Amino acid sequence: MTEKLDIASAARKLKSPNIKTRKRALKAIHDLARQKTVSK
């Protein structure tokens, strides 16, 4: 249902006034960062 966010779109959505959108974007960024550190 929800689209996968890349870092650029998630960072843009962090500026949204909608709280759910911000939380979703923050979670997406955290997940991407975690994947990046695990894959090293």
Side-chain angles (χ1 to χ4, degrees):
M1 188 175 140
T2 59
E3 75 279 5
K4 288 296 273 181
L5 292 175
D6 57 345
I7 292 181
S9 57
R12 188 173 66 247
K13 287 185 178 190
L14 280 177
K15 297 187 176 93
S16 167
N18 188 322
I19 291 173
K20 282 187 178 176
T21 302
R22 283 206 313 253
K23 284 192 174 182
R24 206 175 294 129
L26 195 62
K27 183 183 184 307
I29 289 175
H30 280 302
D31 290 347
L32 288 167
R34 190 174 299 123
Q35 285 176 2
K36 199 171 169 185
T37 57
V38 167
S39 65
K40 279 187 182 175

